[in-house]
Amino acid sequence: MFVDKAKIFVKGGNGGNGIVSYRREKYVPEGGPAGGDGGNGGDVIFRVDEGLRTLMDFRYQKHFKGPAGERGKVKSMHGASADDMIVRIPPGTVIVDDDTEQIIADMTRHGQEVVVARGGRGGRGNTRFATINNPAPDICENGEEGQERWVTLELKVMADVGLVGFPSVGKSTLLSVVSGAKPKIGAYHFTTITPNLGVVDVGDGRSFVMADLPGLIEGAHEGVGLGHEFLRHVERTRVIVHVVDMAGTEERDPFEDWVKINDELVKYNEKLADRPQIIAANKMDMPGADDNLELFKEQLDAVRGDREYLILPISSLTKQGIQELLYKAADTLDAVPDELTIEEVKDVAERKVFTFEKREDNNFTIHKEDEIYVVQGASIENYLKRMNMNSYDAIMRFAQLMRKWGVDAALRREGARDGDTVQIADFTFEFFEGTDYTGK
């Protein structure tokens, strides 16, 4: 089954906790702190694997959590940092943050990697807090929680040559003739509802990947028919082979078909107008096809302007002109860049590329709720999560930090007096002006 879109949850591993420990060797006078730091949590990393062609794996597994770091050890030994979690994705995958709709990464090259969720830092052991004034601190930190988010994966098929055209013009038949692919072929519209890929051997030592892309109809750029489900994939093709039913077997005009499809491509992404395009005049074995081809060339000459279009008469049924088409496609590929620039992909050009945010600053706000002063600030709340507040030393250190960050002074400006209650995150404290907090 071909799956080209998936929504998954990723979370970096939590950091390991630091510990409180002391040296107790018989011949080490006065001992000292010996609590080690916790290890860092593992990152969740997405890596491109060119052997994958679908997001099928993410249909069944939707949660990816990095391993946690180990707890700190005695004798000032660090806990082991966790290994990163590697998640394999196919080339052409765009990773989008589900909340902000910003693009985290556009993955196109084999082996390319991006960190999608960073692991948390390990907490510090009491060895880290030793000072001249407090040589045996009873303080340690909890590990930092790993970053977590929901992300959307959008696969845009990475193919050298893409076959486009109205439904039932012979795209699937052409792919089955030139490659080992076995797409579903039927005499009705939208036989092909997902892209089919095949490796084409030109015969002169060259080869390329060809994609049979689902048929377009008028209004596709607005989502009509298969709409965006198709157009998302055509962006990645380096060369477009536009298959036209030159026999007009469904009472349609070949030139009008060609104009409508190109119009849909340009309305979806203007960059597609500059993509190299070969016109494959298919079904030339049918009656009337030769006359229609001559008329098509005359109509094309009247509208093409300065641009040159290569028109090749073919028949997928009789294999007429197929080899010449492969040679021309390979020659065109040799003349275009191996990779598309990021600006040539519509979604990447329109959506801001994601960058990791800097760590929180020390800003905070204070407001009063039912005689309780509530202090809110990302850095302060994160510090409380990490600090083990079960010891007197930890509470005193926290009080010093609040004075250093200006929280005490701000509370006094807001009218806080001795004995008032202050709430920070899930903790409540009794405030004493000019002295310290006493934790509850």
Side-chain angles (χ1 to χ4, degrees), residues 16-33:
N17 296 337
I19 67 168
V20 173
S21 177
Y22 298 95
R23 299 188 68 178
R24 293 182 174 86
E25 291 92 335
K26 182 176 181 179
Y27 299 106
V28 179
E30 299 183 2

Side-chain angles (χ1 to χ4, degrees), residues 12 25 30 36 55 57 59 149 155 160 179 209 273 283 288 310 328 343 354 357 366 381 423:
E25 291 92 335
E30 299 183 2
L55 298 175
D57 292 345
R59 184 182 180 93
R149 59 158 58 95
L155 175 61
D160 299 311
S179 72
V209 177
K283 303 187 181 181
L310 180 62
K328 294 297 184 182
E343 290 78 12
F354 181 88
E357 298 176 355
I366 299 175
E381 293 173 10
Q423 179 177 334

Side-chain angles (χ1 to χ4, degrees), residues 205-347:
R206 293 181 294 177
S207 63
F208 55 82
V209 177
M210 178 180 283
D212 162 29
L213 302 170
L216 274 172
I217 60 175
E218 198 168 2
H221 72 282
E222 297 176 343
V224 177
L226 294 177
H228 294 165
E229 299 302 316
F230 159 80
L231 289 165
R232 181 167 67 244
H233 298 293
V234 75
E235 284 184 295
R236 294 293 190 186
T237 59
R238 294 161 55 202
V239 174
I240 296 174
V241 173
H242 196 146
V243 183
V244 179
D245 178 4
M246 201 54 67
T249 55
E250 296 193 357
E251 305 298 327
R252 292 201 309 262
D253 181 80
F255 183 73
E256 287 185 5
D257 284 1
W258 179 82
V259 171
K260 288 177 181 178
I261 295 298
N262 279 329
D263 188 48
E264 294 300 323
L265 295 178
V266 173
K267 286 179 179 177
Y268 180 74
N269 186 353
E270 293 180 356
K271 296 291 184 181
L272 292 175
D274 301 325
R275 201 67 54 83
Q277 184 178 136
I278 299 173
I279 301 174
N282 196 22
K283 303 187 181 181
M284 293 303 297
D285 57 305
M286 301 288 289
D290 291 330
D291 294 337
N292 288 340
L293 179 58
E294 292 302 318
L295 178 59
F296 183 91
K297 290 179 178 178
E298 293 175 5
Q299 292 172 314
L300 183 63
D301 287 338
V303 300
R304 68 183 180 184
D306 297 333
R307 180 166 180 178
E308 293 293 330
Y309 288 96
L310 180 62
I311 305 176
L312 297 176
I314 67 168
S315 170
S316 299
L317 185 63
T318 65
K319 300 185 180 180
Q320 169 193 345
I322 297 296
Q323 191 60 50
E324 183 182 359
L325 174 63
L326 299 184
Y327 285 139
K328 294 297 184 182
D331 292 341
T332 306
L333 281 171
D334 291 340
V336 299
D338 289 339
E339 295 181 5
L340 302 176
T341 62
I342 196 169
E343 290 78 12
E344 292 183 88
V345 181
K346 178 188 178 187
D347 287 346

Side-chain angles (χ1 to χ4, degrees), residues 364 366 373 375 380 395-417 422 424 429-438:
F364 60 89
I366 299 175
Y373 291 90
V375 180
I380 297 174
I395 294 174
M396 291 300 100
R397 179 179 174 81
F398 177 70
Q400 293 170 4
L401 187 64
M402 292 302 96
R403 284 197 295 273
K404 179 180 177 182
W405 285 357
V407 176
D408 282 17
L411 284 167
R412 285 193 288 271
R413 288 194 298 270
E414 292 292 327
R417 295 292 181 263
V422 177
I424 305 176
F429 303 89
E430 191 172 344
F431 179 74
F432 288 94
E433 186 175 2
T435 57
D436 297 321
Y437 293 90
T438 300

Side-chain angles (χ1 to χ4, degrees), residues 6-14 42-47 58 61-67 84-89 93-99 102 104-105 114-120 145-153 354 356:
K7 180 180 176 181
I8 63 174
F9 177 79
V10 293
K11 184 182 187 304
N14 294 336
D43 298 335
V44 178
I45 299 176
F46 283 11
R47 177 185 295 165
F58 302 101
Q61 183 177 356
K62 295 183 177 294
H63 289 76
F64 296 85
K65 184 177 180 180
D84 297 329
M85 169 178 275
I86 306 297
V87 180
R88 299 186 306 139
I89 58 175
T93 301
V94 178
I95 306 169
V96 183
D97 186 288
D98 191 63
D99 292 330
Q102 291 181 340
I104 298 174
V114 63
V115 177
V116 180
R118 295 194 183 279
E145 291 186 357
Q147 186 182 24
E148 61 181 56
R149 59 158 58 95
W150 283 92
V151 297
T152 300
L153 306 181
F354 181 88
F356 281 105

Side-chain angles (χ1 to χ4, degrees), residues 348-362:
V348 178
E350 290 183 351
R351 288 185 281 188
K352 178 181 175 183
V353 176
F354 181 88
T355 54
F356 281 105
E357 298 176 355
K358 295 180 179 179
R359 297 199 178 273
E360 303 94 346
D361 54 30
N362 296 333

